[in-house]
Amino acid sequence: MGGGATGVELAAELTHVANLLRQYGMPEMSASRLQVDLLEAGPSILPALPARISQAARRELQRLGVVVRENTRVTRADEQGYVDQNGDLIAADLMVWAAGVKAPDFIRDLNYFELGRGGQIVVKPGLQSSVDDSIWVLGDCAACQQPDGSWVPPRAQSAHQMASHIASSIRRQMKGKPVKPYLYKDHGSLVNLSRYSTVGSLMGNLSGGTMFVEGKIARLMYMSLYRMHQLSIHGWLKGACLILAQKVGHMVQPKIKLH
Ligand SMILES: Cc1cc2nc3c(=O)[nH]c(=O)nc-3n(C[C@H](O)[C@H](O)[C@H](O)COP(=O)(O)OP(=O)(O)OC[C@H]3O[C@@H](n4cnc5c(N)ncnc54)[C@H](O)[C@@H]3O)c2cc1C
């Protein structure tokens, strides 16, 4: 349950794995025998992304046989399944909770910080905690409000930008200069629907506006982005060896993880 990127990607991945199971001693199994219900409290899945992306993802999921239930707020879960706001039971053998991020409880237990939604630490515009300027907060655990009132989303790209911003802010502070506010730059998002499709958008410098991408091109971008991350983490030589080893591994290893 939870129609964010994690829930959407998992729904497609489960369908893909169900189709592979016949190769692993379950000849009767296929995605047609699996019912995946994706429950979303809000009016649309992928609420943080543009409507065009959620529509494309919904279309693709429905094509795969996933039942997309929007405006469905789960109020209870028991051994029979989920119960929604109308008291209706959505029967399930397996329930997965993917309803967003929450900061670890020890942050609350410190009883020091001002906390936002999900227990994140509320920060000033420059990413210092609201209660103590000497504590910088970045990534998923930061509740950072932007000038337009929106909150910085918990994404890898925001964590990366925040790290760079804090590094330059500390250097500015050491030179006696004031800390500048952090402004989130959305470079777009890609949601990968297993082997079936990828949908997303590219924004800003990359496309000179908002560019909607779908299908094979989006999948190629998703894979390239993953490879670029590998190369930037491991360097060119180790990264290239890793990519080659993975290609060989794909040829000899099972298609689904067996342990
Ligand atoms: C399934 C999934 C898919 C995602 N896909 C995307 C995507 O496509 N694009 C995107 O931009 N973002 C994506 N995200 C979000 C992205 O992963 C996060 O926003 C990003 O990793 C946040 O970075 P972070 O450093 O704040 O936190 P994390 O990457 O979560 O790192 C926090 C680390 O702190 C460790 N830790 C926690 N508590 C303690 C403790 N008490 N002591 C010591 N260590 C501790 C944790 O083990 C973890 O390693 C995805 C997230 C998930 C779950």
Side-chain angles (χ1 to χ4, degrees), residues 6 9 104 106 138-141 154-157 159 190 222:
T6 305
E9 290 194 359
F106 84 87
L138 71 156
D140 284 2
C141 69
R155 301 223 184 118
Q157 55 179 316
L190 290 169
Y222 184 87

Side-chain angles (χ1 to χ4, degrees), residues 202-252:
L202 297 180
M203 289 176 177
N205 297 340
L206 284 170
S207 60
T210 304
M211 188 172 87
F212 178 79
V213 284
E214 194 180 356
K216 286 202 169 67
I217 294 176
R219 170 110 184 121
L220 194 68
M221 285 177 170
Y222 184 87
M223 295 310 295
S224 315
L225 206 59
Y226 175 64
R227 294 301 183 205
M228 278 159 58
H229 287 156
Q230 281 185 315
L231 294 174
S232 71
I233 290 170
H234 300 288
W236 279 96
L237 184 63
K238 197 174 164 198
C241 291
L242 197 70
I243 292 169
L244 188 67
Q246 281 175 346
K247 288 267 174 225
V248 175
H250 274 159
M251 284 190 247
V252 293

